[in-house]
Amino acid sequence: MSSVQSLVDKKKKTFIGLPAPLGYVPGLGRGATGFTTRSDIGPARDADDIPEDRHAPPTKKKKTEDEEEEEDLNDANYDEFAGYGGSLCARDPYDQDDAEADLIYNNIDERMDEKRKERREKRLRMELENFRKEVPKVQHIFSDITRALSSVTAEEWANIPEVGDVRNKSQRNPRAEKFTPVPDSVLNKNRHFGETSTAVDLREQRFGGLTTPFPGDLTPGFNTPATNIDMKKIGQARSTLMDIKLTQVSDSVSGQTVVDPKGYLTDLQSMIPSRGADISDVKKARLLLKSVRETNPKHPPAWIASATLEEVTGKLQTARNLILQGCEECPKSEDLWLEAVRIMPGDQAKHVVAQAIRQLPQSVKIWMKAASLESNVKDKKRIFRKALENVPNSVALWKAAVELEDEENARIMLSRAVECCPTNVELWLALARLETYENGRKVLNRARDNIPTDRQIWITAAKLEEANGNIKMVDKIVERALTSLHANGVEINREQWMKDAEDAEKAGSTATCKAIIHHIIAIGVDEEDKKRTWMDDAEVAAVHGAIECARAIFAEALSVFPSKKSIWYNAAGFEKDHGTRESLEELLQRAVAHCPRAEKLWLMGAKSNWLAGNVAKAREILALAFQANPNSEEIWLAAVKLESENNEFVRARKLLQRARTNAPTARVFMKSVKLEWCLGELDNARKLLEESVKLYPTFPKLWMMKGQIEEQNGTIDDVRQAYNEGLKKCPTSIPLWILLSRVEEKARLVIRARALLERARLRNPGCPDLWLEAIRLENRAILKANAQSLMAKALQECPLSGILWAEAIFLEPRNSRKSKSTDALKKVEHDQHVLLAAAK
């Protein structure tokens, strides 16, 4: 045994059972390297086996905890403001003190950020606004145009031309498709195509397969039918099919069948389900509704839905059968009967509605439907009377029945209607309108007893009294109405009553309108808000076209605030716009009686009479105004204007002389000088000017008039002296500077004129008028370069001046004015001078 074991051990190889050495390739020693086995490409080794890569890159040695990475202190990692990217203290321990210090610094940073937040946000907003001005959005560019679209009328929209057809000729005029009908022979030949037969043909049994009794030259071929085609029968079948389809889409009108030949294809298309559902969906819905009907046959919506589905899918008769079956199952369903009446045609609908009435005699909708099916008025009346016997308390039935009757029968029916429906206001009011004055009062009294909480009955009673001339009762009725409604717990809604007043005015009941305003205007308004609220009410009434309502509101406001000038002004303006001259003068007379110190009211009265040609009345009003306001400059000047406009210059001169004594003002002296100047009395004008400039040396218009009078005489030195004296007293008067520069320009002293305008700009910086005059001076002197230079300086000092930008546009050559206009519109988009210059 031992010898056998030793032999076995000697034959056993030492590498059997051991893993292959690293890099071992089977068969490499004998040159077997031209093939690849599964073990070479597949998962032949475990994941934890030693890899075969003998030239793998050396693995990096892991750093221990003691070894720390050195800091990167290169220049590339250095920032001038923040320092090095890393932390210089990264290798130091991070303890509690460091955490506390970081927290404090974070709090300081947040606090500093909050301090600078408002300034930063303000700067960002300003930058955004400037950016929007420079580069506006498209919606901002066209904002004014889009706002203007709100005023476009419907006619203007309709007149907008349509977009032209941009298709080419072949696309606009496509070649019509040609369809060739299939011959009947082809149809007959393919009639049995694809069919299979289980019996052998008699001819094959007789003649044996393909054997034919005909000679070869007479054989009809394999596809030639053995029998003759009856073309007459095919035509008759086609006609019958067309007749069936036409019958299905026909309409029933008065028992006749009418078919529209042109709309035949449209009717066929309408038979397709219009809800866009697939055939499978229709089948599913039909199956589901059938299940609902069988499960709960007493459920009316299931029958209605089933009938509607069949109607939509074009199966009208099936829908009618279903709805009638539903009516048998649910005879007390109002909706089901109404749907059945709708689906049924003509006479069948009347039969169905008769059955519905027998089942539901109290249904108002069914009675109304039955009446709508009748075309004869007499039959409608009969149905409504029968309905009122069954449902006497239906307001809808009474209204529909009364509308079909004449006046006398309507009055009789309304008398019965108010007994059956005593709480309906409309029936009471309709009856009161049809009755006489005495009976109408009785009807309205009965209505108030039955319905004490409705205001329309009281308002109708007031209108009735006004219509019959009993104006005194109108105010009492409205007052009693408010008292009664308040006693019955009805809240007085001020807006509703104001609306009723406007409706009363539109109906012609002005007394009722005024009575309502008189009693309702102060309800729910605080004492301090009365004036403002009432003025708003008057404005709203005027906008709505309720002139009498607005006039009544003004009257109430003036009775409460008789000394408020603003109310008198508004009332006078209202009368001027909507009233007559007599009403305006009457109002102004009352106004000046309550507010004698209101100069504007006196002047409005005088102007009204003057425009009407009554100069004497205007003088009388101004005389009364002098008594009430002896020192009023406006009244004195108005009187002077009245006399001068009527060529009464002597009267005007006397009035001005009295005004200079009683109301000496700069304007009075200026008007006096102007009158003398216009009359050609230059000596008197000079004397007045000498006196006026001593009294009012800071009034620039006096110095201007003095210079212009001297210029009219042709004395340049006197003109210069007048303007220079004026500039000493009024150095900020821009027109004085400009007038003096033009005087020097007329004397051909352009240099002196230029110097004057420079002095003026130094005394009045930022004035675009002075810059504009200087630029135009250079243009008139044909010095374009100087004008361009001045314009550049002017736009720097006054960048938002529209007149300067407009002048800059015209300074440019014609081919570059468009770009200049664009720049101007960016700076001052809505300036009228720039818009006009750009338009030109």
Side-chain angles (χ1 to χ4, degrees):
M1 287 293 295
S2 61
S3 62
V4 174
Q5 188 65 30
S6 62
L7 290 173
V8 172
D9 292 338
K10 287 180 180 180
K11 292 180 181 180
K12 184 179 180 182
K13 304 297 182 182
T14 57
F15 56 85
I16 294 177
L18 298 177
L22 184 63
Y24 173 73
V25 178
L28 183 61
R30 62 180 184 273
T33 58
F35 62 94
T36 304
T37 62
R38 181 65 184 173
S39 60
D40 296 324
I41 60 175
R45 295 179 178 84
D46 295 332
D48 54 352
D49 286 349
I50 299 174
E52 297 179 356
D53 192 0
R54 291 175 289 178
H55 302 285
T59 57
K60 294 183 179 180
K61 182 180 179 182
K62 294 184 179 180
K63 295 182 179 180
T64 60
E65 296 181 358
D66 297 336
E67 296 179 1
E68 295 291 339
E69 187 176 355
E70 295 183 0
E71 289 292 330
D72 186 5
L73 301 180
N74 294 328
D75 292 339
N77 197 31
Y78 177 76
D79 183 71
E80 185 178 355
F81 177 77
Y84 284 101
S87 175
L88 297 176
C89 303
R91 289 178 291 182
D92 297 337
Y94 188 84
D95 54 8
Q96 186 175 1
D97 294 338
D98 296 330
E100 185 177 357
D102 289 341
L103 180 61
I104 293 172
Y105 277 113
N106 290 334
N107 292 335
I108 293 173
D109 290 340
E110 291 177 359
R111 182 60 182 270
M112 295 299 293
D113 184 71
E114 290 178 358
K115 287 184 176 180
R116 293 188 292 266
K117 182 179 180 181
E118 183 177 357
R119 192 190 324 161
R120 184 173 63 254
E121 291 180 351
K122 183 178 180 181
R123 186 177 69 254
L124 289 175
R125 285 196 300 269
M126 292 179 64
E127 291 176 356
L128 182 60
E129 290 177 359
N130 294 332
F131 178 76
R132 290 302 182 200
K133 289 180 181 179
E134 296 293 336
V135 188
K137 293 183 178 179
V138 176
Q139 60 182 7
H140 294 163
I141 295 175
F142 298 100
S143 59
D144 54 342
I145 300 175
T146 54
R147 283 194 299 269
L149 290 178
S150 61
S151 60
V152 177
T153 62
E155 296 179 358
E156 293 174 347
W157 276 114
N159 292 331
I160 294 176
E162 297 291 339
V163 179
D165 196 346
V166 297
R167 297 177 299 171
N168 55 30
K169 183 177 180 181
S170 61
Q171 291 175 336
R172 289 196 303 270
N173 302 314
R175 297 178 60 184
E177 297 184 9
K178 296 181 179 180
F179 298 95
T180 303
V182 181
D184 294 335
S185 59
V186 176
L187 297 176
N188 188 62
K189 181 180 67 175
N190 293 283
R191 181 175 56 181
H192 301 293
F193 181 78
E195 293 184 359
T196 57
S197 178
T198 57
V200 180
D201 190 8
L202 294 176
R203 295 177 61 196
E204 293 183 358
Q205 294 179 8
R206 181 177 178 183
F207 298 107
L210 300 177
T211 306
T212 174
F214 302 103
D217 56 346
L218 296 178
T219 178
F222 294 114
N223 292 328
T224 303
T227 59
N228 295 327
I229 299 174
D230 192 348
M231 303 300 296
K232 183 178 180 180
K233 290 184 179 181
I234 292 178
Q236 291 176 353
R238 181 175 297 174
S239 300
T240 304
L241 182 61
M242 182 65 69
D243 183 58
I244 293 172
K245 291 185 177 180
L246 288 174
T247 304
Q248 290 178 352
V249 299
S250 62
D251 296 327
S252 178
V253 179
S254 302
Q256 299 179 359
T257 301
V258 180
V259 178
D260 182 13
K262 295 182 179 179
Y264 172 64
L265 292 179
T266 306
D267 293 338
L268 289 179
Q269 183 67 25
S270 66
M271 296 176 64
I272 301 174
S274 60
R275 299 192 179 180
D278 296 332
I279 301 299
S280 59
D281 296 338
V282 173
K283 291 181 178 179
K284 291 178 183 178
R286 188 179 288 121
L287 184 61
L288 179 61
L289 291 173
K290 181 180 179 181
S291 175
V292 174
R293 294 195 308 270
E294 293 176 353
T295 304
N296 187 6
K298 302 297 182 181
H299 187 57
W303 295 100
I304 295 174
S306 300
T308 304
L309 177 64
E310 299 299 338
E311 182 184 9
V312 168
T313 54
K315 297 183 177 181
L316 193 58
Q317 188 59 42
T318 305
R320 292 169 180 171
N321 296 335
L322 280 172
I323 204 70
L324 290 178
Q325 186 179 355
C327 292
E328 293 177 0
E329 294 289 342
C330 310
K332 300 300 180 182
S333 174
E334 183 183 58
D335 295 335
L336 197 57
W337 284 110
L338 292 174
E339 187 68 14
V341 173
R342 185 188 67 82
I343 294 178
M344 291 297 170
D347 297 335
Q348 295 184 21
K350 294 181 181 180
H351 178 67
V352 171
V353 81
Q355 294 180 358
I357 290 173
R358 283 193 291 270
Q359 295 291 337
L360 299 169
Q362 303 296 322
S363 175
V364 177
K365 292 182 180 180
I366 293 178
W367 283 108
M368 297 290 287
K369 190 67 175 179
S372 66
L373 293 176
E374 299 293 340
S375 58
N376 191 0
V377 177
K378 185 177 180 180
D379 295 334
K380 288 179 180 288
K381 291 180 181 179
R382 179 176 54 82
I383 290 176
F384 278 127
R385 290 177 181 176
K386 188 70 174 177
L388 290 172
E389 292 178 3
N390 290 275
V391 195
N393 58 350
S394 173
V395 177
L397 289 175
W398 281 111
K399 288 181 180 180
V402 169
E403 288 178 357
L404 298 176
E405 302 292 341
D406 55 9
E407 184 175 348
E408 184 62 26
N409 292 333
R411 184 178 60 80
I412 297 173
M413 292 194 71
L414 285 172
S415 300
R416 176 60 180 164
V418 296
E419 294 177 2
C420 297
C421 306
T423 59
N424 187 265
V425 180
E426 295 182 11
L427 295 177
W428 284 105
L429 297 181
L431 179 60
R433 294 189 189 99
L434 296 177
E435 292 287 355
T436 60
Y437 171 56
E438 295 297 333
N439 292 336
R441 296 179 66 182
K442 295 177 182 179
V443 168
L444 291 174
N445 289 332
R446 289 169 54 198
R448 287 199 296 268
D449 294 338
N450 286 280
I451 315 172
T453 59
D454 191 87
R455 69 184 190 283
Q456 292 296 334
I457 299 175
W458 293 95
I459 295 174
T460 305
K463 292 179 181 179
L464 179 63
E465 297 295 340
E466 181 181 358
N468 289 275
N470 195 359
I471 305 299
K472 296 181 180 179
M473 286 297 297
V474 174
D475 191 75
K476 294 180 180 180
I477 289 173
V478 175
E479 184 178 3
R480 288 171 56 193
L482 294 173
T483 305
S484 175
L485 292 173
H486 185 72
N488 285 281
V490 178
E491 182 182 358
I492 305 301
N493 191 322
R494 186 173 179 274
E495 284 72 19
Q496 289 181 354
W497 282 89
M498 295 291 286
K499 182 66 170 58
D500 293 335
E502 294 180 6
D503 295 339
E505 180 184 352
K506 293 177 182 178
S509 303
T510 57
T512 304
C513 160
K514 294 179 180 179
I516 293 174
I517 295 294
H518 174 69
H519 290 285
I520 205 69
I521 191 170
I523 294 178
V525 182
D526 296 334
E527 188 68 28
E528 60 271 12
D529 296 336
K530 281 185 177 180
K531 178 184 172 183
R532 178 183 56 80
T533 304
W534 291 351
M535 292 300 100
D536 293 341
D537 292 339
E539 184 178 356
V540 171
V543 170
H544 292 169
I547 306 302
E548 292 299 329
C549 285
R551 188 174 284 121
I553 293 172
F554 278 120
E556 292 298 323
L558 291 173
S559 64
V560 178
F561 304 105
S563 60
K564 292 290 185 181
K565 292 188 290 185
S566 60
I567 301 179
W568 287 108
Y569 291 152
N570 292 334
F574 174 79
E575 290 296 336
K576 182 179 179 181
D577 295 335
H578 303 283
T580 60
R581 185 176 62 84
E582 291 76 10
S583 63
L584 175 60
E585 292 179 359
E586 188 271 335
L587 177 70
L588 290 173
Q589 290 177 2
R590 293 192 292 118
V592 296
H594 288 90
C595 303
R597 307 292 295 179
E599 302 172 358
K600 187 177 178 181
L601 295 174
W602 290 104
L603 297 177
M604 289 177 68
K607 185 176 181 180
S608 176
N609 285 276
W610 173 44
L611 294 176
N614 194 352
V615 180
K617 183 66 175 177
R619 288 173 179 162
E620 182 182 349
I621 292 174
L622 288 175
L624 295 175
F626 284 137
Q627 296 177 6
N629 305 276
N631 298 324
S632 174
E633 175 189 293
E634 295 291 338
I635 295 177
W636 281 107
L637 295 179
V640 171
K641 183 179 180 181
L642 175 65
E643 299 300 341
S644 61
E645 291 289 340
N646 290 279
N647 298 325
E648 296 289 343
F649 300 113
V650 178
R651 284 175 174 267
R653 185 178 285 146
K654 290 181 179 179
L655 283 172
L656 285 171
Q657 185 177 0
R658 290 173 57 191
R660 292 196 298 272
T661 304
N662 297 326
T665 63
R667 285 188 65 201
V668 171
F669 275 92
M670 184 189 69
K671 294 292 183 181
S672 301
V673 174
K674 186 176 181 180
L675 179 63
E676 298 296 339
W677 189 8
C678 292
L679 295 177
E681 301 291 339
L682 298 182
D683 295 334
N684 294 336
R686 284 197 189 93
K687 291 178 182 179
L688 286 173
L689 277 172
E690 293 294 336
E691 182 183 356
S692 59
V693 294
K694 291 179 182 178
L695 294 174
Y696 306 99
T698 58
F699 192 67
K701 289 188 178 181
L702 294 173
W703 296 105
M704 295 178 203
M705 295 175 70
K706 184 177 181 180
Q708 290 169 352
I709 291 174
E710 296 297 341
E711 188 177 359
Q712 189 173 346
N713 288 332
T715 55
I716 296 298
D717 295 333
D718 294 338
V719 176
R720 287 174 181 159
Q721 183 180 357
Y723 285 145
N724 284 321
E725 290 178 0
L727 287 173
K728 291 178 182 179
K729 302 295 183 181
C730 311
T732 59
S733 175
I734 306 303
L736 270 176
W737 288 102
I738 295 175
L739 286 173
L740 182 55
S741 69
R742 289 178 181 175
V743 169
E744 300 296 347
E745 185 183 1
K746 287 181 181 179
R748 297 187 178 182
L749 298 174
V750 178
I751 297 175
R752 184 177 291 183
R754 187 184 296 123
L756 277 172
L757 290 174
E758 289 179 0
R759 286 173 53 199
R761 293 199 299 273
L762 291 174
R763 297 294 298 270
N764 303 278
C767 180
D769 293 327
L770 291 174
W771 283 105
L772 181 63
E773 183 65 24
I775 294 167
R776 289 178 176 175
L777 174 65
E778 301 296 340
N779 273 334
R780 289 192 291 268
I782 317 178
L783 297 172
K784 294 289 185 180
N786 292 350
Q788 292 284 357
S789 176
L790 282 174
M791 178 59 72
K793 295 178 181 178
L795 291 177
Q796 288 180 356
E797 187 171 345
C798 308
L800 300 179
S801 174
I803 55 175
L804 288 178
W805 278 106
E807 188 69 19
I809 293 173
F810 292 113
L811 281 180
E812 296 292 330
R814 185 170 295 275
N815 56 358
S816 60
R817 287 180 182 178
K818 188 173 183 180
S819 60
K820 198 69 174 180
S821 301
T822 305
D823 297 337
L825 290 172
K826 288 181 180 179
K827 288 291 184 181
V828 279
E829 181 180 359
H830 302 291
D831 188 86
Q832 66 271 23
H833 302 93
V834 175
L835 293 174
L836 286 174
K840 289 180 181 180

